Amino acid sequence: MAWLPGSRQISAIKAAVFAFALLPFLRLAWGAFSGGLGTNPIETLTRDTGWWCLFMLLATLALTPLRKLAGLHWVLRMRRMLGLYAFFYGALHFTTFIWFDHWFDLMEMFKDVIKRPFITVGFIAFIIMLPLALTSTNAMVRRLGGRNWQRLHRLVYLVPVLGVLHYWWLVKADVREPLIFGALLALLLGLRLWWRLRDRRPGLAQPSVR
Amino acid sequence: MLIKKPTYHDDILPSEITPRDLYRRRREFLKQAAALGLAGTMLPQSVRAQTAAPVIEQGKLAKLAGRASPLSAKDKLTPHKDVVTYNNYYEFGTDKHQPAQYAHRLRSRPWSVAIEGEVKNKGPIDIEDLLKLAPMEERIYRMRCVEGWSMVIPWVGYSFAELVKRVQPTARAKYVAFTTALQPDTMIGLRLPVLEWPYVEGLRMDEAMHPLTLLCFGLYGEVLPGQNGAPVRLVVPWKYGFKSIKSIDKITFMESMPKTSWNVSAAHEYGFYSNVNPAVDHPRWSQATERRIGEDGFFTPKRKTLMFNGYAEQVAGLYKGMDLKKFY
């Protein structure tokens, strides 16, 4: 029998996850302030915010498999928070781009977005995250209706795919890290596909309810 | 039942047995190499930057003085610490902090440079002779990396042309190829097939003969640290940094254009010439601007990249009539 935390425990876990997910930001902020981000601090900021955005996206996508495979239903209660953290780091990443790379010159920025495929896909990923973040509140779920809301939020599967592509197209020769991110993503999405196909097959028992 | 004892240990000479401390060192090395395989990845850069690099402090290496040169740039110098901790030297790992961590292993003595190909005086030149071949000069050059950052470094060396004059290339020599040493036991980056090893770079003969092209042995008044390409490297200041090949152990004079490592890896991104040119973008990013390490921070926009990295007056003539968009 999987562990079932009570509501107070859930709150405590949420608070802990919130704090842990905030740590990278605090570390970067402190590093930027104290000169602790290495020789090229702007590169560090840019790369790390993108890295953590991908990390949070994968963490968000890992919750459903965790629920199904380990029977930990309560982990889904972390999903909105982790998703919003992905948006948070994505927004910081976008900020480094428009600030440090383009010095807030919007025209130049859009030229870059159109001209360079790796930026194009990164930008699209960020734009997709916007409506998801904006409609993440309970009130918005009610306003849109559960079904519409869910349809909209399926877009979330696209974001890390674009994110991995963005990273893959950026690196010069060493593709190990994008490859690892990509493999994890393929696993998380592959599991979903497998479950879908399995559950759809006629004549088989419905998925067991745990 | 009779079991014959294996007797193979009889024919191993004592001299063939690996000494214990060497064996241990090898184990240690393998462990680190294995760690590098993955530990170089899946860590945010801020963490890597902090865990990295025993910094070589200025004053720890052997002195190598050079007289001031009129070819020096007037720009403000990049701090020594940045020059020796932020390096692209893939033989020691693809992360920019890794060379500073691992390149102290590089065996820079004994060292010789093989002279081969279309040249009269073939054969190896010992590093000690190379050091004495011409008077040392201090040349302060801008260095522009293809990735969009730059530094200003006081190199110590002499014009590569000095060496060329001694070895006397034949009339057939149109190009020079340079090869980085291959030390599989010290270069932990070699186990990753990120580039074709050994690293090869090349110049056209007239580029190689240009007085700015420096055969370099030191920086900041000391011999080169491993991560900066000890014991001898090339510095070609009007080209992207990867043309300035490190730890050279072979120089080949050739009739045809040599195959250079980055060009082999991605020909449409890294041409043979690779002159700094703000008007010709890297296919994936702009080359119009750059960030000067140690100077351009959070509250200053990137600076404009200059044609030929600011050396247009001296080198533009080499490319007269050439379409630089085509010959990037």
Side-chain angles (χ1 to χ4, degrees), chain A residues 27 36 39-40 42-43 45 47-48 99-101 103 115-116 118 169-172 174 176-177, chain B residues 36-37 41-42 45-46 48 50 82 86 94 147 192 270 281 284-285 291 293 297-300 302:
Chain A
R27 190 191 161 92
T39 306
N40 193 345
I42 289 169
E43 183 194 42
L45 275 182
R47 295 200 49 165
D48 270 25
W99 179 351
F100 302 131
D101 278 337
W103 209 247
K115 205 170 163 189
R116 304 182 199 287
F118 95 89
W169 285 346
L170 160 80
V171 295
K172 264 189 350 184
D174 186 354
R176 283 176 298 162
E177 206 165 273
Chain B
L36 188 79
T41 65
M42 296 320 277
Q45 190 153 328
S46 57
R48 290 187 217 169
Q50 285 209 340
D82 294 338
Y86 191 74
T94 54
E147 296 166 350
L192 295 171
Y270 310 100
D281 286 347
R284 288 182 284 155
W285 55 81
R291 182 170 298 122
I293 297 294
F298 300 125
F299 305 108
T300 37
K302 291 164 113 178

Side-chain angles (χ1 to χ4, degrees), chain B residues 70-321:
Chain B
L71 294 171
S72 282
K74 304 277 179 289
D75 304 45
K76 189 176 150 213
L77 296 183
T78 302
H80 177 268
K81 179 174 166 289
D82 294 338
V83 175
V84 301
T85 46
Y86 191 74
N87 309 94
N88 276 323
Y89 195 167
Y90 279 18
E91 285 85 338
F92 292 100
T94 54
D95 194 276
K96 275 193 264 300
H97 300 98
Q98 283 174 328
Q101 224 169 338
Y102 297 110
H104 63 90
R105 294 167 176 281
L106 181 92
R107 280 186 312 276
S108 56
R109 290 293 187 285
W111 192 278
S112 67
V113 179
I115 308 291
E116 294 179 4
E118 298 293 341
V119 63
K120 283 190 192 118
N121 302 327
K122 285 195 182 66
I125 304 181
D126 192 83
I127 186 71
E128 307 303 338
D129 297 330
L130 214 50
L131 279 160
K132 283 179 277 190
L133 192 127
M136 291 288 168
E137 295 173 34
E138 180 171 82
R139 302 254 186 106
I140 299 167
Y141 283 165
R142 289 177 290 275
M143 213 267 317
R144 167 65 154 81
C145 178
V146 74
E147 296 166 350
W149 51 269
S150 62
M151 292 186 181
V152 181
I153 306 171
W155 303 108
V156 182
Y158 50 78
S159 289
F160 178 68
E162 299 285 345
L163 175 65
V164 177
K165 276 182 233 156
R166 304 293 168 98
V167 298
Q168 298 187 34
T170 69
R172 293 228 293 242
K174 302 280 186 301
Y175 296 91
V176 196
F178 302 85
T179 310
T180 295
L182 212 53
Q183 290 185 0
D185 59 326
T186 70
M187 295 174 161
I188 30 196
L190 292 182
R191 56 198 292 280
L192 295 171
V194 282
L195 286 175
E196 213 166 84
W197 313 118
Y199 191 82
V200 173
E201 258 309 333
L203 294 173
R204 215 169 55 190
M205 206 58 202
D206 57 344
E207 298 176 323
M209 292 300 290
H210 195 282
L212 279 172
T213 302
L214 189 73
L215 194 65
C216 173
F217 303 86
L219 60 83
Y220 265 104
E222 298 175 5
V223 297
L224 290 168
Q227 60 268 36
N228 294 87
V232 55
R233 66 172 294 168
L234 199 70
V235 183
V236 193
W238 71 92
K239 292 174 179 284
Y240 292 117
F242 66 89
K243 294 292 293 182
S244 295
I245 185 170
K246 300 184 171 85
S247 309
I248 300 166
D249 76 347
K250 190 164 79 180
I251 299 174
T252 316
F253 291 84
M254 301 169 77
E255 195 169 8
S256 55
M257 189 182 273
K259 283 193 160 47
T260 56
S261 289
W262 276 104
N263 184 250
V264 169
S265 143
H268 62 294
E269 299 193 338
Y270 310 100
F272 174 80
Y273 290 96
S274 287
N275 293 315
V276 176
N277 188 342
V280 176
D281 286 347
H282 185 282
R284 288 182 284 155
W285 55 81
S286 165
Q287 295 292 26
T289 58
E290 68 198 51
R291 182 170 298 122
R292 184 67 53 86
I293 297 294
E295 286 181 57
D296 300 343
F298 300 125
F299 305 108
T300 37
K302 291 164 113 178
R303 64 186 65 199
K304 284 201 161 37
T305 290
L306 303 172
M307 187 65 201
F308 295 116
N309 202 22
Y311 297 95
E313 208 177 298
Q314 293 103 308
V315 301
L318 295 171
Y319 310 100
K320 227 169 162 180

